[in-house]
Amino acid sequence: MGEITVRGAGIFGLSIAWACVRRGAQVRLTDPSGPASGSSGGIVGALAPHVPENWNAKKAFQFESLLAAPAFWAGVRETGGTDPGYQASGRLQPVPDAGALELARRRADTASELWRGQATWSLEPAGDDPWTPASPTGWLIRDTLSAHLHPRRACDALVAALATRGVRTEVDGEDRGAVIHATGIAGLEVLNAGHHRLVGAGVKGQAALLQHDARGAPQLFADGLHIIPHSDGTVAVGSTSEREYSDPSRVDQQLEEVIARARAAVPALRNAPVTERWAGVRPRARSRAPMLGAWPGRPGHFIANGGFKIGFGMAPGIAEVMADLVLDGKNRIPDGFEIEASF
C-alpha cells in the first residue's frame, strides 16, 4: 500500500493515520508538540448534527459520519484498550417560545425524511428531573443522532490504537511517500502567507469542567451552550467563540459568564464546583467547512484542516475520505469541502 506521512497529531491527523494504517499503509506521524496539543486537547466533545432542514452536502456528510462514529470508536477502543469516552446518549434542547415550538414540529417531520429512520428529532414535555434544562414553553427537543466523547481521551485512544500497529508520534522527521498536512492553526497560517486573501483563521473558545456525575444522561444544548455529561463523572460546559483575542490560552470573565449561564439553565449544576478552566484556538477555514484535498502546486501533498467546532463529529468520515484520496486516488470529497472553496 506504500508509505504515508501525516503531519499533525490532532483529531484529523490521528484519525487519518488510523484509517491509513487499517488499510495496510506504513504511516509516519509527526507533531512538534505531541498528540492533541492544540484544540483537540479540549474538554467539551459535543458530536451534534446540524438541524434537519435545507439539506446540503455538508449536512449529509456529517450525518453519515455521525452514523459511522459508534463502530469507528468501538474499533479504536478494542484495538488500543483505551476508552475514548464515546456515548451515543442523544441530546435535549429547551424550546424558548411558540415560534421555536412550531419550527421544532416542522423539523421533526423533515428529520423523519432526511435522517431516513436512522435517528429521530422529536418533542417531549419537560419533566422535573434536575438534569432537565429550564424550558419556557414546557417542551424539549430530543434528538437521537447526537453523541459525545471526551476529546483528550479520544485522542489518547487513537494514540494507543496506532501504537499497536507500530505508529508513534515523532517530533519531526523526513517525509515518506504522500504527505498529509493536518496541522491546524499553524497550517492555516502557512496557507495564509502564500495567498492574497485569508484562507482561514483561529477562533478561540473557552470551556470548563464541573464536578457532577450525570453519566448516561443526554447532553444538553441550552442558552447557546453545549453541556456534556462525561463518563468520568464530570460535566463540560462551553464554549465561547472569539475571533479577536490577545492570549489564546487565557481564561477570563467570558468563561465565568458561560459557567453562570450553565448553572442557571440546569438545576443539577447550580452548586457543582469547577475543576478545570480551559481555553484554546480552533482552526476555521474561510468556507466554514473542513478543507480537504490535494495541495495546489505541491504534488504529493494533501491538506486536511478546518475542523473548527465539528472536527470530532466529522473525523470518522474525513479519515475515510482522505484515505480514499491518498491511497486509492478516489476523490469522494463533498461539495464545499474542496481546498478551492477556501482559496
Side-chain angles (χ1 to χ4, degrees):
M1 185 61 73
E3 293 184 311
I4 300 291
T5 299
V6 179
R7 293 200 170 273
I11 184 57
F12 278 7
L14 291 167
S15 299
I16 293 166
W18 175 238
C20 290
V21 163
R22 291 179 62 208
R23 297 192 191 192
Q26 297 178 27
V27 175
R28 160 169 276 184
L29 177 63
T30 71
D31 193 308
S33 301
S37 56
S39 60
S40 292
I43 57 177
V44 179
L47 312 181
H50 289 92
V51 295
E53 62 186 11
N54 300 324
W55 209 237
N56 56 31
K58 181 179 180 180
K59 291 184 177 183
F61 185 86
Q62 184 195 45
F63 174 73
E64 297 296 340
S65 191
L66 290 172
L67 292 179
F72 178 88
W73 291 110
V76 170
R77 182 187 66 245
E78 290 163 8
T79 302
T82 298
D83 182 6
Y86 177 83
Q87 298 286 319
S89 52
R91 176 180 59 173
L92 293 175
Q93 303 177 63
V95 182
D97 53 44
L101 184 60
E102 179 56 33
L103 181 59
R105 291 192 175 107
R106 293 200 300 269
R107 286 173 173 168
D109 292 336
T110 56
S112 65
E113 173 189 352
L114 296 171
W115 290 357
R116 307 193 305 270
Q118 295 176 282
T120 60
W121 173 291
S122 60
L123 283 162
E124 62 184 53
D128 56 4
D129 184 330
W131 183 250
T132 301
S135 177
T137 61
W139 288 92
L140 299 170
I141 300 165
R142 181 186 292 272
D143 83 77
T144 61
L145 184 56
S146 292
H148 62 270
L149 48 66
H150 195 300
R152 292 175 190 164
R153 293 172 61 191
C155 290
D156 288 346
L158 281 163
V159 168
L162 285 164
T164 68
R165 305 296 180 91
V167 179
R168 287 176 169 77
T169 307
E170 304 172 28
V171 173
D172 202 356
E174 65 179 10
D175 292 337
R176 297 175 182 171
V179 184
I180 301 169
H181 299 262
T183 46
I185 297 299
L188 290 180
E189 291 173 350
V190 170
L191 294 172
N192 288 336
H195 291 81
H196 63 279
R197 66 176 183 178
L198 194 70
V199 175
V203 178
K204 181 179 175 180
Q206 298 184 51
L209 280 179
L210 280 61
Q211 191 63 51
H212 176 76
D213 193 341
R215 279 176 277 199
Q219 65 177 282
L220 309 176
F221 186 69
D223 193 15
L225 302 176
H226 294 286
I227 302 170
I228 309 298
H230 285 312
S231 58
D232 62 359
T234 63
V235 173
V237 298
S239 63
T240 64
S241 287
E242 305 165 46
R243 295 194 183 188
E244 297 183 4
Y245 50 89
S246 57
D247 186 339
S249 60
R250 180 178 179 269
V251 296
D252 57 30
Q253 183 58 33
Q254 294 180 79
L255 179 55
E256 300 311 306
E257 292 169 2
V258 164
I259 295 168
R261 286 161 53 200
R263 285 178 169 153
V266 183
L269 299 179
R270 284 176 187 165
N271 297 310
V274 177
T275 61
E276 181 179 351
R277 291 170 171 84
W278 177 89
V281 180
R282 300 157 294 186
R284 178 185 179 275
R286 182 175 181 274
S287 67
R288 301 194 68 176
M291 295 173 56
L292 309 176
W295 191 330
R298 294 189 64 179
H301 290 251
F302 300 83
I303 296 170
N305 207 324
F308 192 33
K309 297 180 180 181
I310 57 176
F312 279 86
M314 293 278 202
I318 283 173
E320 295 302 322
V321 163
M322 291 302 295
D324 280 346
L325 179 65
V326 177
L327 299 179
D328 302 329
K330 182 179 179 181
N331 189 341
R332 295 195 300 114
I333 297 171
D335 293 341
F337 286 39
E338 303 92 341
I339 302 298
E340 292 74 15
S342 292
F343 276 20

